Every structure is written in structure tokens, then in C-alpha cells.
């Protein structure tokens, strides 16, 4: 890309997301994060919300943008054809996980035992004993990929790692995968037109723009980090971003989605420090930016003080009530309570 865009400097960062993202967060420059392709579709809803919320909190500053590619919902036959191509490329790709597992286990055996004999591990999971199967749930908008056993398969753990297998699995006995049993590989979520709004609500970002491919198969959605966001009672996470819904037991189990939500009375009545700071950010945005300085001396209505009065009214009023609740003295200067307590002009008669 560098030769094509001479005015842009490129700097490669090598590492996992957890390793690289903190470095991006140190930059004070305005940022646009590109998350192209449709990798978000491989994340179950709770994981996607957690991941992009972390990017928003740790990488992005106010008004920074993130551009996320999302694979759109399509007719079932189009989805199934994409995942079950006539050349069998997808099937080969999914089945390739088995020799990869064999290699990883063989390397681990060598590491733990010091032996260099990998032959006993090469057929731990034989590709010939499995076939690729895909299932599309049109209601949720998710394609699930599996490897299905064509016959009974017995997994015999190498002796060199028997202790480690027992420690992880609770037993080092052989594992039988019966014919027809399926090994879950991955999911691919497909998104409706409203998915971006739901995603924004779940992550605290602001949905600002969308671009859709000519065949209506794919969309790029742009989100921005707001200067401040009001906290709200969280909604239960949906199985997919297509709508807020109560999933079936099967899809809930597969997505590993915690769907419990506290009753309103279970939420604490005292805001956290972060919530307080966020509320003041919103208040400062309203009073110091949206209301221009030349308007601060204007009364919103005749019965009210000029806007500038409310810069002190809100914190003073909050201090009065917190002091009363805690039987504590007012914050200094205590005279502020007298100056700023009444939101209605004291020169006006009460009505």
C-alpha cells in the first residue's frame, strides 16, 4: 500500500490484539479503526460486545471512529452455497483442523516427554473418519460449522501426556466419538439492517454511517465514540445483533450467552464514581459547549434564573442531598448551598 499512498506513513505492529491494542491507545491523534472483512461474525454476541467495548474504552478517544464490516443476512440457499461450494474448498479448510490438532499434540508430547516419536499422535484424529457439516439457523442468522464422525472414533491419548490430560479433562481414559456426533468448529453470524443500531446500543458507541454492497450482501458500518454517554439499565444480550430476543435453549447453550438480567430493585441506588464522572461530562457538554457563552446570561423562561446559575445549582443541590443523607456537613464554601439551592427565582412568589 505504501507506494500507492505516498502521503500516508505505515507502521506495522506484530502481536495479538491484547498486545497491540494498548499501544494504539497511547496515541492522542484522532483515530479510525478499520475492522474489515466480517470477522465480527465469528464472535458470539457477548464476546463481540466485550471486545469492541474494550476497543472503545482503551483505544478510542472522543469522536474517534471504527469501521466494521458485517456480512448481511441472505436467503438460506445463498448462505449454504457459500459454505458448501462445489469444489469442496470450505470442507477442506474445516477438516484441516484435524491434522493441525495432531501436530499440536505431537509437539506437546515432545515438549513434555522429551521423546521425538510423533508417529503415535499422527492419527489421533484421522480426517478420513470425519465429514464437514454446516447448519444455518435462519431465525438467528447464524451458520454453524461442524465436523461429523462418519464412524465410531476412539481417541487414545499418548502416554507422554496422560497426566496433563487427566489434569485438564478429569480423566485420561480413551474418548469415544460415536458415529453422527459432531465437533463444533465455528459460527458465522449474518446481520440485518437494524444490527448496527443494536450493536451501538450494546457497546456504547454511536452509529453514524453505513455503506452497502451492490448486491446487498455486505455492509460497512461506521461507529464513533461519543464525548460522553449516559448510563442506562442494561438490556439482556441477544443471541445475535439482529434483534433483542429471548433465544431458544439450544441457541443459548451454543452461544454460551448469559441471559439473566437483574430486576430494577437489584441495581445499586448510589452511582459509581465512573457513572458520576460520566454524568458530569454530559452536563459540562451541555452547559459549556452546547450553550454558548453569550447565552449563559439569558433566562430560559421568566421564572428561571439565567443559564449561568445552573452551573452551580446542580452540584450544590446534589451536595445538599448527599450531606443530608450522610448527616455530614456541606462542602465548602457552604454559602453555595444558600446561593444555588433554589432553581426558581426567589424574588418570584411561589405558585
Amino acid at each position: 500500500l505504501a507506494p500507492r499512498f505516498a502521503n500516508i506513513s505505515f507502521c506495522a505492529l506484530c502481536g495479538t490484539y491484547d498486545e497491540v491494542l494498548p499501544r494504539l491507545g497511547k496515541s492522542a491523534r484522532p483515530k479510525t479503526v478499520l475492522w474489515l472483512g466480517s470477522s465480527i461474525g465469528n464472535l458470539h454476541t457477548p464476546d463481540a460486545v466485550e471486545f469492541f467495548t474494550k476497543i472503545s474504552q482503551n483505544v478510542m478517544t472522543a469522536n474517534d471512529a471504527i469501521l466494521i464490516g458485517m456480512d448481511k443476512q441472505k436467503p438460506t440457499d445463498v448462505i449454504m452455497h457459500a459454505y458448501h461450494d462445489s469444489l469442496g474448498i470450505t470442507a477442506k479448510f474445516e477438516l484441516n483442523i484435524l491434522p493441525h490438532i495432531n501436530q499440536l499434540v505431537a509437539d506437546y508430547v515432545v515438549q513434555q516427554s522429551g521423546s521425538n516419536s510423533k508417529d503415535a499422535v499422527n492419527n489421533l484424529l484421522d480426517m478420513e473418519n470425519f465429514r464437514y457439516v454446516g447448519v444455518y439457523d435462519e431465525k438467528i442468522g447464524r451458520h454453524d460449522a461442524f465436523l461429523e464422525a462418519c464412524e465410531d472414533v476412539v481417541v487414545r491419548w499418548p502416554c507422554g501426556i496422560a497426566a496433563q490430560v487427566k489434569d485438564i479433562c478429569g480423566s485420561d481414559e480413551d474418548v469415544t466419538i460415536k458415529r453422527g456426533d459432531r465437533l463444533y468448529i465455528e459460527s458465522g453470524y449474518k446481520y440485518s439492517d437494524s444490527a448496527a443500531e443494536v450493536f451501538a446500543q450494546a457497546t456504547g458507541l454511536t452509529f453514524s454511517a453505513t455503506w452497502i454492497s451492490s448486491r446487498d450482501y455486505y455492509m460497512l458500518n461506521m461507529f464513533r465514540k461519543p464525548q460522553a454517554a449516559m448510563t442506562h439499565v442494561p438490556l439482556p444480550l441477544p443471541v445475535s445483533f439482529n434483534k433483542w430476543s429471548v433465544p431458544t435453549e439450544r441457541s443459548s447453550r451454543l452461544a454460551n450467552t448469559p441471559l439473566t438480567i437483574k430486576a430494577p430493585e437489584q441495581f445499586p441506588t448510589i452511582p459509581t464514581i465512573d457513572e458520576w464522572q460520566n454524568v458530569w461530562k454530559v452536563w459540562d457538554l451541555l452547559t459549556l459547549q452546547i450553550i454558548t457563552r453569550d447565552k449563559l446570561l439569558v433566562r430560559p423562561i421568566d421564572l428561571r434564573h439565567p443559564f449561568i446559575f445552573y452551573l452551580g445549582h446542580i452540584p450544590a443541590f446534589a451536595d445538599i442531598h448527599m450531606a443530608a443523607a450522610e448527616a455530614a456537613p456541606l462542602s465548602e464554601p457552604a454559602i453555595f448551598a444558600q446561593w444555588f439551592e433554589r432553581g426558581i427565582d426567589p424574588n418570584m412568589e411561589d405558585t
Side-chain angles (χ1 to χ4, degrees):
L1 293 175
R4 295 177 57 189
F5 301 97
N7 60 324
I8 299 177
S9 59
F10 291 83
C11 177
L13 299 177
C14 181
T16 66
Y17 292 124
D18 290 338
E19 294 169 345
V20 170
L21 289 177
R23 295 187 60 183
L24 297 178
K26 294 179 180 179
S27 173
R29 294 182 177 181
K31 292 180 288 294
T32 296
V33 179
L34 302 182
W35 189 268
L36 305 180
S38 188
S39 298
I40 186 176
N42 295 125
L43 298 174
H44 292 302
T45 302
D47 301 322
V49 169
E50 179 183 5
F51 181 75
F52 286 101
T53 299
K54 284 183 178 179
I55 290 181
S56 174
Q57 293 175 344
N58 302 326
V59 176
M60 303 171 68
T61 56
N63 295 323
D64 282 351
I66 182 168
L67 191 64
I68 302 176
M70 292 181 171
D71 206 3
K72 292 197 67 177
Q73 288 186 339
K74 311 170 190 65
T76 300
D77 60 328
V78 175
I79 296 291
M80 295 304 289
H81 178 74
Y83 284 95
H84 302 265
D85 57 282
S86 58
L87 297 177
I89 295 175
T90 303
K92 292 178 182 177
F93 174 81
E94 300 291 2
L95 284 165
N96 187 59
I97 193 174
L98 298 179
H100 185 61
I101 290 173
N102 292 341
Q103 183 63 50
L104 289 175
V105 174
D107 292 341
Y108 188 69
V109 169
V110 172
Q111 177 186 346
Q112 295 298 315
S113 65
S115 170
N116 198 28
S117 57
K118 299 183 180 181
D119 295 339
V121 187
N122 287 339
N123 291 322
L124 187 70
L125 292 168
D126 194 336
M127 289 177 58
E128 300 300 323
N129 295 331
F130 293 87
R131 70 185 185 98
Y132 164 65
V133 175
V135 178
Y136 183 60
D137 190 321
E138 190 170 2
K139 182 177 181 180
I140 295 176
R142 183 182 67 210
H143 181 275
D144 298 321
F146 303 90
L147 296 183
E148 183 178 281
C150 302
E151 57 185 70
D152 290 352
V153 176
V154 179
V155 180
R156 295 183 171 86
W157 302 110
C159 297
I161 59 171
Q164 289 80 3
V165 170
K166 186 174 183 178
D167 183 56
I168 296 172
C169 303
S171 171
D172 59 357
E173 296 181 359
D174 296 344
V175 176
T176 300
I177 303 174
K178 294 185 178 181
R179 179 182 178 181
D181 284 352
R182 292 178 176 178
L183 307 179
Y184 170 70
I185 303 300
E186 63 177 347
S187 292
Y189 286 85
K190 315 302 169 188
Y191 301 102
S192 65
D193 292 329
S194 62
E197 292 285 0
V198 180
F199 175 83
Q201 185 175 6
T203 58
L205 295 168
T206 300
F207 175 45
S208 60
T210 188
W211 295 266
I212 301 175
S213 66
S214 58
R215 291 197 296 174
D216 198 30
Y217 279 5
Y218 184 81
M219 56 185 171
L220 287 174
N221 293 313
M222 178 173 283
F223 305 87
R224 290 190 180 276
K225 182 172 182 176
Q227 292 191 20
M230 295 296 292
T231 56
H232 60 279
V233 176
L235 292 170
L237 290 175
V239 174
S240 72
F241 290 120
N242 299 318
K243 57 184 177 181
W244 297 108
S245 60
V246 178
T248 63
E249 180 182 355
R250 169 191 164 276
S251 58
S252 174
R253 183 173 61 252
L254 185 59
N256 192 27
T257 307
L259 293 169
T260 56
I261 181 171
K262 295 180 179 179
E265 62 270 14
Q266 291 178 276
F267 287 98
T269 55
I270 300 177
T272 65
I273 294 298
D274 288 341
E275 288 171 335
W276 269 111
Q277 291 175 341
N278 204 38
V279 168
W280 289 120
K281 285 181 181 178
V282 174
W283 182 244
D284 288 343
L285 175 66
L286 172 64
T287 56
L288 301 180
Q289 296 186 43
I290 295 179
I291 300 176
T292 57
R293 292 182 64 88
D294 61 308
K295 300 296 183 183
L296 286 176
L297 298 180
V298 175
R299 291 172 179 256
I301 59 174
D302 289 341
L303 289 177
R304 298 290 178 180
H305 292 293
F307 284 115
I308 195 171
F309 167 82
Y310 296 96
L311 295 182
H313 172 63
I314 297 299
F317 198 72
D319 184 58
I320 290 169
H321 283 275
M322 287 189 291
E326 296 293 328
L330 293 167
S331 299
E332 293 294 339
I335 191 64
F336 277 10
Q338 181 179 341
W339 289 356
F340 294 108
E341 178 179 6
R342 290 175 60 92
I344 296 178
D345 192 329
N347 295 323
M348 296 289 182
E349 294 183 1
D350 291 337
T351 58

